[in-house]
Amino acid sequence: MSVELQRTTEPQDLQEDETQHLPPADTGPGAWKFLFGSFVIEGILWGFLLTFGVFQDYYSQQPQFKDSKDIPLIGAVASSIIFLSAPLVTPLVRKFQRWQRHLIFIGAAICPLSLLGASFASSIPALIATQGVMYGLGFTILYYPVLRMLDEWFLQRRGLAYGLLYAGGGLTGASLPFLLQVLLSKFGYRTTLRAIAVVQTILVATILPLIKSRLPTSSNSALRAVDWSFLKQPLFWCFALSNLTQGLGYYIPSLFLPTFASDLGFSGIIGALILAANNLATVLGQVSFGYLCDRVNNVLLLVFLSSSISSIAAFAIWGLARSLGSLLAFALVYGWCAGAFPVFWQKFGSTLSHDPQPILSLMAFGKGVGSIVAAPIAAGLTTGPIGSGYGLGRFQGIILFVGVSMFSSSLGIFGWSLKRR
């Protein structure tokens, strides 16, 4: 069984006194300061992960790295650790809530240290261990305590709060690729990673004083079992399978679009532009589909729209792309539709259970599985020389893989009949 935090009973007069002195939720300086701080942290640390396609394109052109097929694993491992750890880390953060600020400081230190370590790496396995594994662990240690605090500060406006939080990473992901491209071309990866590590350290250290709990922490937290009966509902497995297949294809375009652009003869700046367009469209897609998610009862209808349009975009636009306009069109359409998928998780959870948190954790886990499995598959599919055929020949396999993955995800629409009446 999963676990959930349960506070021990305290004297009623003490509870009432604490409640009277709590800062208000959903409004007031404390809530907005926290949201601003978490927005900045999301932008600085998660936004950096969204730009890995620029690093992948750079690494693939370096003599010491270009023959390795494991370059995509660097970014995939980092993001996968964050998602895969959700079912384990979420209950632990609830249990050991008095340590959550300590965890935030530890994670905030590990992330830049991982980039500093990566700057000394001279092999792909070393980069996987530092820029991949170590960075992913650091962000995980920091991120889940921040999310728990966010749930304390925002109750009625939680959807808005999460939307603004996610926007931080997307906005950084839309602007940082240009700076990284310039730094990498002028100074190389060692100096660039060290510079990013310094900037992350300064900015995160400056903003951390804003990251505070709203509720007093308890030293007597207990773990209680959570009802896993939703696993017996066929609709859960429909959600899970649709989420897994979407996760298999989702990250591949952001990893390979800059390289695809380079093979078409475009400069690194153009590759960064395409990646930035994809990340910006993701922010817009999450906001728009999140708005629809609150108003459409059948969430699988939104899943169908998101995944089917993404599939068509991969097959019909990316596969035939030969110009900057077509690549930008694909990046915008795909980012808008495929990037919106995580906003459906909350609806999955509320459809199946009164406590959606275990379902959200399992969806994050499934996305992590899809991401880590897809990386070596994509690396194996990008073989052969550049040609004039579909997907430039070399990228045909991954384009078809993305299209089929998204199409498979869209088939979840047929599972709505499984919903309990």
Side-chain angles (χ1 to χ4, degrees):
M1 291 187 296
S2 182
V3 289
E4 184 183 63
L5 178 66
Q6 180 183 22
R7 292 178 179 238
T8 55
T9 304
E10 299 178 0
Q12 184 175 357
D13 57 344
L14 179 59
Q15 289 182 338
E16 292 176 354
D17 182 68
E18 286 183 345
T19 301
Q20 292 174 356
H21 290 85
L22 289 177
D26 298 300
T27 187
W32 296 114
K33 286 179 181 178
F34 177 88
L35 184 57
F36 174 74
S38 58
F39 170 88
V40 173
I41 289 176
E42 173 92 0
I44 295 169
L45 300 180
W46 178 251
F48 174 77
L49 272 180
L50 296 179
T51 65
F52 180 72
V54 176
F55 278 94
Q56 177 168 314
D57 184 44
Y58 174 84
Y59 290 148
S60 65
Q61 298 178 36
Q62 303 310 301
Q64 67 270 42
F65 301 140
K66 66 179 182 179
D67 293 329
S68 175
K69 293 184 177 296
D70 295 330
I71 295 175
L73 284 174
I74 303 171
V77 166
S79 58
S80 295
I81 286 174
I82 298 164
F83 290 119
L84 289 171
S85 61
L88 173 65
V89 176
T90 300
L92 290 178
V93 169
R94 291 180 176 180
K95 167 61 179 174
F96 301 105
Q97 56 182 290
R98 60 177 174 168
W99 298 103
Q100 56 191 4
R101 274 188 63 81
H102 298 80
L103 293 173
I104 290 172
F105 280 93
I106 292 171
I110 292 175
C111 286
L113 284 174
S114 71
L115 300 185
L116 181 62
S119 72
F120 292 97
S122 57
S123 67
I124 294 301
L127 287 171
I128 293 174
T130 51
Q131 193 175 351
V133 175
M134 189 175 174
Y135 192 94
L137 288 174
F139 187 77
T140 298
I141 292 170
L142 174 146
Y143 197 53
Y144 286 99
V146 170
L147 293 182
R148 186 183 186 281
M149 292 180 182
L150 185 69
D151 288 341
E152 296 177 0
W153 281 107
F154 290 89
L155 304 177
Q156 301 301 321
R157 295 181 171 182
R158 189 170 292 170
L160 171 65
Y162 271 94
L164 293 174
L165 173 71
Y166 295 151
L171 291 176
T172 302
S175 56
L176 187 58
F178 302 105
L179 176 61
L180 289 177
Q181 179 60 42
V182 172
L183 291 174
L184 287 169
S185 61
K186 288 188 175 181
F187 304 106
Y189 76 98
R190 298 186 190 276
T191 300
T192 298
L193 288 171
R194 290 166 192 168
I196 295 296
V198 171
V199 172
Q200 284 188 350
T201 301
I202 294 173
L203 293 180
V204 173
T206 301
I207 211 70
L208 279 180
L210 300 180
I211 307 299
K212 298 178 181 179
S213 297
R214 173 177 173 265
L215 304 178
T217 58
S218 171
S219 59
N220 296 314
S221 300
L223 294 173
R224 66 179 176 85
V226 169
D227 184 11
W228 275 82
S229 61
F230 63 82
L231 290 175
K232 299 179 182 178
Q233 299 186 43
L235 185 58
F236 166 78
W237 297 104
C238 175
F239 288 157
L241 186 59
S242 180
N243 179 70
L244 175 63
T245 53
Q246 202 270 354
L248 282 170
Y250 173 65
Y251 283 109
I252 291 176
S254 65
L255 293 176
F256 286 94
L257 277 173
T259 305
F260 189 95
S262 294
D263 288 342
L264 276 177
F266 293 111
S267 66
I269 289 293
I270 295 300
L273 171 65
I274 295 168
L275 183 60
N278 180 80
N279 289 332
L280 179 60
T282 295
V283 175
L284 299 175
Q286 288 174 341
V287 172
S288 58
F289 273 95
Y291 176 85
L292 292 173
C293 207
D294 291 334
R295 289 159 176 78
V296 176
N297 180 50
N298 186 349
V299 67
L300 285 176
L301 177 61
L302 299 180
V303 169
F304 175 77
L305 290 174
S306 168
S307 297
S308 62
I309 294 174
S310 300
S311 176
I312 293 171
F315 286 135
I317 304 179
W318 190 13
L320 300 175
R322 295 296 183 275
S323 66
L324 175 59
S326 57
L327 283 177
L328 284 173
F330 169 73
L332 291 170
V333 173
Y334 185 86
W336 192 300
C337 295
F341 202 92
V343 305
F344 304 145
W345 294 350
Q346 182 69 38
K347 191 78 168 185
F348 291 171
S350 61
T351 300
L352 294 170
S353 173
H354 294 295
D355 177 17
Q357 189 57 53
I359 298 170
L360 267 65
S361 296
L362 289 176
M363 293 299 144
F365 181 84
K367 189 176 184 70
V369 170
S371 177
I372 196 66
V373 169
I377 293 176
L381 290 175
T382 50
T383 58
I386 299 298
S388 59
Y390 185 83
L392 301 182
R394 179 184 177 191
F395 299 94
Q396 176 179 327
I398 62 169
I399 292 172
L400 295 175
F401 182 80
V402 170
V404 170
S405 297
M406 294 297 156
F407 175 76
S408 300
S409 175
S410 72
L411 296 179
I413 184 67
F414 296 108
W416 189 247
S417 61
L418 302 173
K419 185 178 183 296
R420 290 181 177 178
R421 304 297 179 183

